[in-house]
Amino acid sequence: MANLISQVEVYTTLNNLMGRRNLPGGSQDDLKRFCQYAMDYCWRYYTWGFSVSRGTVDLSTDAYMPEDFDLDGYHRVASLPGESWTYVPIEEYDSLTAGDRYYTLEYIKADNRYKFVTSSTATSVEVIYQTIPPTLGEAPDVLFPSSMVVALGGIVYAKQAENPNSADVNQEWDQFHSELDRLVARSDTNKPKRTVQNRQDRAGTFTGDVGAY
């Protein structure tokens, strides 16, 4: 079964790690925000398998990326061999040759969406992308391997807020990243290892093959 976590779980763990057996009374919106900041950081720290999705961009209409697309996360265009797409910064896009499979992403403020911009004649493209970080709620509905790791990140923000000028969070920061890297290593181990193929492998040719030219 998938491991679902909640704001309550992360918030409770954060307080326990800070030596509080009983949760503080009253409004604790600041600590809950720190939990969300840590969740955002953990989500974008690595391309988790569960954070990646795929969708189709219709280039014949508005050409918008999926609504849950995160520009700060991983993304690429799924392409066939010999039909690779190249992402370029928006400021370099106009200098490229029209018709080539170059693309850039432009933010459209009116719709709060990113638009897939290309001069290619393709009518649609399939994109693989990392989704925006989920919002922790009261119910356990956010998929992540460990609420404790998120809570460790929340502690860093909490301690900095308590003493903004001279808080020493080096130990907490190191522990947070050590646990986060452990999760990354486990995720890497579980991913299938594929043999990297170059252009000759895909085409079935070899160096010096006259028939390849």
Side-chain angles (χ1 to χ4, degrees), residues 64-79:
Y64 280 137
M65 294 290 284
E67 290 189 6
D68 58 349
F69 165 73
D70 183 19
L71 184 65
D72 292 330
Y74 164 88
H75 81 272
R76 72 174 179 87
V77 176
S79 56

Side-chain angles (χ1 to χ4, degrees), residues 33-144:
R33 277 196 297 271
F34 298 152
C35 292
Q36 184 60 51
Y37 296 157
M39 181 72 247
D40 295 350
Y41 186 95
C42 291
W43 190 266
R44 290 175 170 141
Y45 187 75
Y46 174 74
T47 309
W48 312 99
F50 51 80
S51 71
V52 177
S53 187
R54 61 197 308 158
T56 301
V57 176
D58 187 352
L59 301 179
S60 63
T61 55
D62 52 29
Y64 280 137
M65 294 290 284
E67 290 189 6
D68 58 349
F69 165 73
D70 183 19
L71 184 65
D72 292 330
Y74 164 88
H75 81 272
R76 72 174 179 87
V77 176
S79 56
L80 298 174
E83 296 183 356
S84 59
W85 290 74
T86 302
Y87 171 75
V88 294
I90 192 169
E91 64 270 18
E92 298 178 12
Y93 177 76
D94 289 336
S95 64
L96 299 174
T97 304
D100 287 345
R101 290 186 177 84
Y102 294 104
Y103 73 97
T104 191
L105 299 174
E106 180 180 6
Y107 177 68
I108 307 300
K109 184 177 181 180
D111 299 311
N112 193 27
R113 298 278 295 278
Y114 284 96
K115 187 173 184 178
F116 189 101
V117 180
T118 181
S119 60
S120 170
T121 57
T123 58
S124 66
V125 293
E126 185 174 304
V127 292
I128 299 172
Y129 64 97
Q130 193 161 13
T131 60
I132 57 176
T135 300
L136 292 168
E138 298 293 324
D141 61 356
V142 172
L143 185 60
F144 197 75

Side-chain angles (χ1 to χ4, degrees), residues 14 18 34 38 150-162 167 169-177:
L14 182 152
M18 296 182 74
F34 298 152
V150 180
L152 285 171
I155 289 177
V156 174
Y157 295 112
K159 287 200 170 185
Q160 286 179 324
E162 289 177 352
V169 294
N170 289 329
Q171 181 176 347
E172 289 80 4
W173 183 257
D174 290 343
Q175 184 181 7
F176 170 48
H177 278 87

